């Protein structure tokens, strides 16, 4: 009989066999759980959806038929908020934040790199054993629990 706990959830990401005492973020000096540990995929995904639907709603309120308005608003929101505050509205709602490896807010250049890759979508869907997407690896950032 298969135990439901063995199956996991698609939101938890793939089951990776880890050595005893290993967890995502350990190699980066991050705690396994709690504040300042790496954010799980479900929080990141839901935060992204909140941001996207917010920008889509604003684009619809403006009433423009321009198909690039919602993605442009999304990119602008992501760049401005992540570079200055370290989180978007969706991140804030789900208790996560974007930080550089040294713990500081990303700043303009890292946020620009990260935003460009998030808008392309695919780099954000490919991640390593520390649950860091290609966009975070390229920008030198992480998404942490608050």
């Amino acid at each position: 009989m298969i135990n439901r706990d063995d199956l996991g959830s698609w939101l938890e990401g793939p089951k990776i066999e880890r050595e005893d005492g290993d967890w995502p973020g350990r190699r980066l000096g991050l705690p396994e759980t709690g504040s300042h540990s790496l954010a799980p995929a479900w929080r990141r995904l839901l935060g992204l959806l909140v941001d996207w639907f917010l920008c889509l709603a604003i684009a619809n309120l403006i009433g423009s038929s321009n198909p690039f308005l919602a993605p442009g608003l999304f990119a602008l929101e992501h760049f401005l908020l992540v570079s200055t505050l370290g989180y978007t509205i969706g991140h804030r709602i789900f208790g996560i934040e974007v930080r550089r490896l040294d713990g500081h807010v990303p700043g303009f250049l890292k946020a620009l790199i990260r935003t460009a890759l998030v808008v392309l979508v695919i780099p954000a869907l490919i991640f390593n054993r520390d649950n860091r997407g290609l966009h975070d690896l390229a920008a030198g950032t992480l998404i942490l629990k608050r």
Side-chain angles (χ1 to χ4, degrees), residues 2-106:
I2 296 175
N3 184 349
R4 179 169 156 61
D5 293 334
D6 293 336
L7 296 175
S9 166
W10 66 274
L11 287 174
E12 295 169 357
K15 292 281 185 192
I16 299 173
E17 292 297 322
R18 300 187 190 278
E19 299 172 15
D20 287 337
D22 192 19
W23 62 84
R26 179 175 183 217
R27 284 163 295 289
L28 301 169
L30 300 173
E32 184 175 4
T33 60
S35 181
H36 300 290
S37 64
L38 287 173
W42 68 269
R43 286 190 192 201
R44 297 190 316 252
L45 178 63
L46 291 176
L48 177 80
L49 289 174
V50 165
D51 291 330
W52 174 250
F53 285 119
L54 179 65
C55 292
L56 195 58
I58 292 169
N60 285 333
L61 284 174
I62 293 172
S64 173
S65 61
N66 184 344
F68 297 108
L69 183 59
L73 289 171
F74 176 83
L76 182 65
E77 178 227 12
H78 195 274
F79 171 70
L80 290 176
L81 293 180
V82 168
S83 66
T84 58
L85 301 174
Y87 53 82
T88 64
I89 295 167
H91 289 156
R92 185 69 173 186
I93 289 170
F94 290 99
I96 60 178
E97 60 190 3
V98 180
R99 295 288 179 212
R100 294 188 321 213
L101 294 174
D102 64 7
H104 292 93
V105 172

